[in-house]
Amino acid sequence: MSDQIKFIVDSLNKEPFRKNYNLITFDSLEPMQLLQVLSDVLAEIDPKQLVDLREEMPEQTAKRMLSLLGILKYKPSGNATDMSTFRQGLVIGSKPVIYPVLHWLLQRTNELKKRAYLARFLIKLEVPSEFLQDETVADTNKQYEELMEAFKTLHKEYEQLKASGFSTAEIRKDISAMEEEKDQLIKRVEHLKKRVETAQNYQWMLKIARQLRVEKEREEYLAQQKQEQKNQLFHAVQRLQRVQNQLKSMRQAAADAKPESLMKRLEEEIKFNLYMVTEKFPKELENKKKELHFLQKVVSEPAMGHSDLLELESKINEINTEINQLIEKKMMRNEPIEGKLSLYRQQASIISRKKEAKAEELQEAKEKLASLEREASLKRNQTREFDGTEVLKGDEFKRYVSKLRSKSTVFKKKHQIIAELKAEFGLLQRTEELLKQRHENIQQQLQTMEEKKGISGYSYTQEELERVSALKSEVDEMKGRTLDDMSEMVKKLNSLVSEKKSALASVIKELRQLRQKCQELTQECDEKKSQYDSCAAGLESNRSKLEQEVRRLREECLQEESRYHYTNCMIKNLEVQLRRATDEMKAYISSDQQEKRKAIREQYTKNIAEQENLGKKLREKQKVVRESHGPNMKQAKMWHDLQQLMECKKQCFLKQQSQTSIGQVIQEGGEDRLIL
């Protein structure tokens, strides 16, 4: 356990927590502070868990932490009963429950971050089967599952790419190969320039080739512009449809905006504001003042040591025991009127607490809605500034994703083809180098043979003549080919334009029909969605009412069970006492002397008499000892003096025996005299 706490403290003192705890301060944390530490660690794993526990209900805290621990697959040791104690310990902030959770989380933080990130997209929402009978809901659920599978594949590819990672050596090799290829291309261009310079009208031919290339680039640019204009037209049509739908919804809202509904809405807002001003805010202000007064009092007092803390803990324990005793006395009285009042008070406190919680939730929802609206407006403005188009939604986004998928597949195929071409290029480059080396060797041998024969330079002049004749023939062919190609290209372009016009006519007609059908389907989808929302809201309200009623009945059941067990224990204690009292009365009243002797009263009277007799004897003995104390002390002193005298004589005798005889001892009249 100490190693576990030490590891937790070391991990919390490091980045990103920086708590500055030691073993004593961490072990002396209160349950609320310990739960806050656990919440901070969970927030590091999942940023959605960043919550101040003072602003959250205990039920919500326990539900939030248990759901995240379930997602992270934390398994507490023990069986089902231990699971219930685990949940209870997590709610009250028990150290034996929270310490293992912290140790487990801090050991594998990076792994759990990844798991929490994936859980946001991979935990499937279970839709009831009765809702899946609707076609729109079924299609949406199917698209949702497809997107989930696509996310899985993309994440796997991302992990593989992240793990594969290109090495710097390969990149350097590629750069050097590209530089060599660049040098070869420059040499080839220079070589081709030299070859072309010998031909007639090469400037005019180069000009025509340059114009052809410019026209091709312009054709590609015009095709790209045409595609962009088509996309802009498509986005403009979609924007027009969205604006028309918004206008329709606003007209419907204006049609439904009756004075009675507006008055009801205003009355609800006024009631909510009155509750906030008259009840909630004054209570919060009073609590803050009390807390401030308490903190000022704590600051003004001197620093407390360990002994002061122990005294305070002992006082708190004494007060808690007194409170428990008072509660037991109150329950023993069992006054029905007071019990009813306590129930009503408890219900009123529960309702007021729920009212405060709902008001806080409403306030938070309003603030969140306002912040989200501000953020959405900022994002819209940013997108308009960038490209003048709005953010894709719904079907547009799905089409965009499908287009991206098709492009990604095409990109993969092209990438594979490029890799194959690179490999083939490497092989061809190597064979070219080998052939060049062989050609150089043959040329050297040929030059040596020509020098021997005395006709050096013959092969070179013959190659130059052949090359010039080949160039002339190629130039003549190119002249004829360019004219034929240009005429054929003009014919092909005219035929393609006419084919595209004829093909697009039927597509435009179909597109108009599909647009009308899309508008009808969107209207039907909006109606179905509004029906579904109203049905879901009704079911949610019924479910919340039933949950409240079940919770209330469970609380009542628990109270009644505790009262029942307490009364049973009291009845058993009273029965035991009553039985002992009846047995005592029977033994005391009975005429049998043996049974009388068994009675507790007789035994106690007998013990009292024995103790009184013993006390008398001891007092008499004390009196005798007190009277003989003086003479006994004198006698003891005389015996002590006699003992000292005998000891002295013994020492003198031993000394006399050990020393040489200095004089003569004469005994006269019972006395000893030493004569020197």
Side-chain angles (χ1 to χ4, degrees), residues 460-635:
Y460 178 71
T461 54
Q462 190 176 1
E463 284 178 1
E464 286 292 323
L465 287 169
E466 288 176 358
R467 187 171 61 79
V468 169
S469 61
L471 277 172
K472 189 172 180 299
S473 62
E474 284 177 3
V475 168
D476 293 335
E477 286 177 1
M478 274 178 66
K479 285 178 182 179
R481 204 182 297 125
T482 50
L483 292 171
D484 295 335
D485 290 340
M486 287 175 74
S487 61
E488 285 178 3
M489 192 179 293
V490 170
K491 288 178 183 178
K492 283 180 182 178
L493 286 171
N494 290 326
S495 63
L496 279 170
V497 169
S498 60
E499 285 175 3
K500 293 291 181 184
K501 282 182 181 178
S502 61
L504 285 171
S506 60
V507 173
I508 289 165
K509 289 179 182 178
E510 290 178 359
L511 183 63
R512 287 173 185 167
Q513 294 175 0
L514 289 171
R515 280 177 184 166
Q516 291 178 359
K517 194 173 181 181
C518 180
Q519 288 179 359
E520 293 173 359
L521 288 171
T522 50
Q523 290 177 2
E524 189 177 354
C525 178
D526 292 335
E527 291 174 0
K528 296 286 186 184
K529 190 177 181 183
S530 62
Q531 291 176 4
Y532 170 73
D533 291 337
S534 62
C535 181
L539 291 170
E540 185 67 25
S541 63
N542 291 330
R543 187 177 67 82
S544 62
K545 287 178 184 177
L546 290 170
E547 283 180 353
Q548 289 175 1
E549 191 173 356
V550 168
R551 200 179 294 116
R552 181 176 59 77
L553 291 170
R554 280 181 179 170
E555 289 176 356
E556 289 179 0
C557 182
L558 288 170
Q559 289 176 1
E560 294 297 330
E561 280 182 358
S562 63
R563 193 178 296 169
Y564 169 73
H565 290 307
Y566 179 75
T567 50
N568 274 338
C569 292
M570 293 298 292
I571 287 165
K572 286 179 182 177
N573 289 331
L574 291 171
E575 285 177 354
V576 171
Q577 291 177 3
L578 183 63
R579 198 180 302 117
R580 287 171 67 187
T582 51
D583 293 338
E584 182 69 19
M585 287 296 294
K586 284 179 183 178
Y588 185 70
I589 293 167
S590 66
S591 59
D592 192 0
Q593 293 297 325
Q594 290 182 355
E595 287 186 1
K596 272 190 176 183
R597 287 172 187 170
K598 289 179 182 177
I600 297 170
R601 186 172 179 179
E602 292 293 330
Q603 291 177 4
Y604 278 134
T605 52
K606 185 179 178 182
N607 288 332
I608 289 164
E610 288 176 356
Q611 292 296 324
E612 285 177 353
N613 292 326
L614 185 62
K616 285 179 183 178
K617 289 178 182 178
L618 289 170
R619 279 195 291 273
E620 289 174 358
K621 194 173 182 181
Q622 185 182 11
K623 187 177 179 182
V624 171
V625 169
R626 201 176 284 164
E627 288 175 354
S628 61
H629 179 66
N632 286 335
M633 288 298 290
K634 285 180 182 179
Q635 192 174 2

Side-chain angles (χ1 to χ4, degrees), residues 188-201:
R188 194 177 295 171
V189 168
E190 290 176 354
H191 184 64
L192 287 171
K193 278 183 180 179
K194 287 178 183 178
R195 286 176 65 184
V196 172
E197 282 174 358
T198 57
Q200 294 179 354
N201 298 326

Side-chain angles (χ1 to χ4, degrees), residues 645-659 665 667 672:
L645 182 61
M646 294 301 290
E647 188 69 28
C648 183
K649 282 185 176 183
K650 181 183 175 184
Q651 287 178 2
C652 291
F653 178 72
L654 291 170
K655 195 173 183 182
Q656 186 180 0
Q657 283 183 352
S658 61
Q659 292 178 358
V665 178
Q667 293 181 356
D672 294 335

Side-chain angles (χ1 to χ4, degrees), residues 428 430-440 442:
L428 291 172
R430 180 61 181 164
T431 53
E432 186 183 4
E433 288 175 359
L434 293 170
L435 290 170
K436 279 181 181 179
Q437 289 177 1
R438 195 179 295 172
H439 178 68
E440 287 175 359
I442 292 167

